[in-house]
Short mmCIF file of all heavy atoms in Angstrom, two decimals:
data_model
loop_
_atom_site.label_atom_id
_atom_site.label_comp_id
_atom_site.label_asym_id
_atom_site.label_seq_id
_atom_site.Cartn_x
_atom_site.Cartn_y
_atom_site.Cartn_z
N GLY A 18 6.13 13.68 12.65
CA GLY A 18 4.75 13.68 13.12
C GLY A 18 4.63 13.39 14.60
O GLY A 18 3.88 14.07 15.32
N GLU A 29 2.22 25.67 24.19
CA GLU A 29 1.02 26.38 23.77
C GLU A 29 1.35 27.36 22.66
O GLU A 29 2.23 28.20 22.81
CB GLU A 29 0.42 27.12 24.95
CG GLU A 29 -0.08 26.21 26.06
CD GLU A 29 -0.66 27.00 27.22
OE1 GLU A 29 -1.00 28.17 27.04
OE2 GLU A 29 -0.75 26.42 28.30
N THR A 46 25.46 15.68 4.45
CA THR A 46 26.02 16.10 3.17
C THR A 46 27.06 17.20 3.38
O THR A 46 28.14 17.17 2.79
CB THR A 46 24.91 16.59 2.22
OG1 THR A 46 24.02 15.50 1.97
CG2 THR A 46 25.47 17.09 0.91
N PHE A 48 28.81 17.73 6.05
CA PHE A 48 29.96 17.11 6.71
C PHE A 48 30.82 16.36 5.70
O PHE A 48 32.05 16.47 5.70
CB PHE A 48 29.48 16.19 7.83
CG PHE A 48 30.59 15.55 8.61
CD1 PHE A 48 31.57 16.32 9.22
CD2 PHE A 48 30.64 14.18 8.76
CE1 PHE A 48 32.59 15.73 9.95
CE2 PHE A 48 31.65 13.58 9.49
CZ PHE A 48 32.63 14.35 10.09
N ASP A 50 31.01 16.92 2.48
CA ASP A 50 31.67 17.92 1.64
C ASP A 50 32.90 18.50 2.34
O ASP A 50 33.96 18.68 1.74
CB ASP A 50 30.70 19.05 1.29
CG ASP A 50 29.59 18.61 0.34
OD1 ASP A 50 29.72 17.52 -0.27
OD2 ASP A 50 28.60 19.36 0.23
N LEU A 56 40.45 16.19 3.53
CA LEU A 56 41.16 14.92 3.55
C LEU A 56 41.48 14.45 2.14
O LEU A 56 40.79 14.80 1.18
CB LEU A 56 40.29 13.85 4.22
CG LEU A 56 39.93 14.05 5.69
CD1 LEU A 56 38.95 12.97 6.12
CD2 LEU A 56 41.17 14.03 6.55
N GLU A 62 40.46 5.81 1.36
CA GLU A 62 39.86 4.60 0.79
C GLU A 62 40.91 3.52 0.57
O GLU A 62 40.64 2.34 0.83
CB GLU A 62 39.16 4.94 -0.52
CG GLU A 62 37.89 5.75 -0.33
CD GLU A 62 37.28 6.21 -1.64
OE1 GLU A 62 37.96 6.20 -2.69
OE2 GLU A 62 36.09 6.59 -1.61
#
Side-chain angles (χ1 to χ4, degrees):
E29 295 179 19
T46 298
F48 183 55
D50 291 344
L56 297 174
E62 289 174 343

